[in-house]
Amino acid sequence: MKSEELEAARDRVIPDVVAEGLRVLFCGINPGLMSAATGHHFARPGNRFWPVLHLSGFTPRQLSPSEQDELPSYGLGITNVAARATARADELSDEEFREGGRLLVAKVELLRPRWLAVVGVTAYRIAFGDKKARIGPQERTIGDTRIWALPNPSGLNAHWTAQTMAEEFGRLRAAAESPSPIAPD
């Protein structure tokens, strides 16, 4: 994709992939330019979301970004903290994160997923005003919805490999499939 096409995508909004009563609603930070240009979440080739989703057992095969509409059939969905597309998440202001957090709470109250999985602990910290949040289940809930902070699958996040991310996503999957709630770490 040409850089002019990517830049033109900045103003596009990617629709959420949601339904009521999902097992897990994954929440990205915001769309990248490739995602905005294609209309598909986590569309950049170096992003590890789709491989990790499969490696962790959430999907029976690795889906491509263009197959995102299959997620609700697995009890999964995708939204974002901020709707504005950027080349890098650090282009967003703290106020955009906080406003995104407020809108996300309203969305979760409406859709009532069992778990909200925020993909990026830093985004979670800012959006929900929890400076001490760590990867894993959180104390905070939104109604009956539990929250889990996951590592950011961006290729820029070198601290986590696809395998270690898949292990953390797998912990969430086990909690989402468990009949009893999982206590925070």
Side-chain angles (χ1 to χ4, degrees):
M1 192 161 275
K2 295 178 184 173
S3 62
E4 306 85 48
E5 292 172 309
L6 290 175
E7 283 302 316
R10 282 186 187 272
D11 296 327
R12 293 189 191 135
V13 174
I14 300 176
D16 292 338
V17 178
V18 296
E20 287 185 33
L22 296 169
R23 280 187 306 142
V24 179
L25 176 59
F26 290 95
C27 181
I29 299 170
N30 74 309
L33 297 181
M34 181 71 73
S35 289
T38 64
H40 301 121
H41 295 272
F42 301 103
R44 184 165 280 306
N47 193 294
R48 299 169 288 182
F49 178 80
W50 298 102
V52 166
L53 202 62
H54 171 61
L55 287 170
S56 64
F58 272 112
T59 58
R61 65 180 178 81
Q62 183 175 322
L63 300 175
S64 69
S66 65
E67 296 174 302
Q68 68 186 18
D69 291 336
E70 291 183 31
L71 288 175
S73 70
Y74 301 114
L76 309 173
I78 302 178
T79 188
N80 286 295
V81 173
R84 184 168 70 94
T86 61
R88 295 175 51 104
D90 62 7
E91 294 176 41
L92 297 171
S93 70
D94 285 0
E95 183 51 40
E96 284 176 287
F97 279 109
R98 287 189 292 273
E99 177 61 18
R102 289 187 285 274
L103 294 172
L104 184 57
V105 166
K107 192 176 299 186
V108 167
E109 288 173 342
L110 177 69
L111 298 172
R112 300 180 48 197
R114 185 158 187 212
W115 286 91
L116 170 65
V118 180
V119 183
V121 70
T122 302
Y124 174 81
R125 287 175 184 150
I126 300 168
F128 289 94
D130 185 352
K131 295 178 184 177
K132 296 181 180 181
R134 296 182 356 180
I135 296 294
Q138 305 302 306
E139 291 279 344
R140 179 187 183 128
T141 61
I142 301 171
D144 291 335
T145 300
R146 297 290 316 277
I147 302 172
W148 198 292
L150 289 168
N152 184 343
S154 166
L156 299 174
N157 182 3
H159 292 43
W160 290 79
T161 66
Q163 186 56 47
T164 57
M165 271 189 237
E167 290 167 9
E168 188 61 31
F169 275 58
R171 288 181 59 217
L172 168 60
R173 182 187 50 75
E177 292 174 354
S178 172
S180 61
I182 304 295
D185 291 343

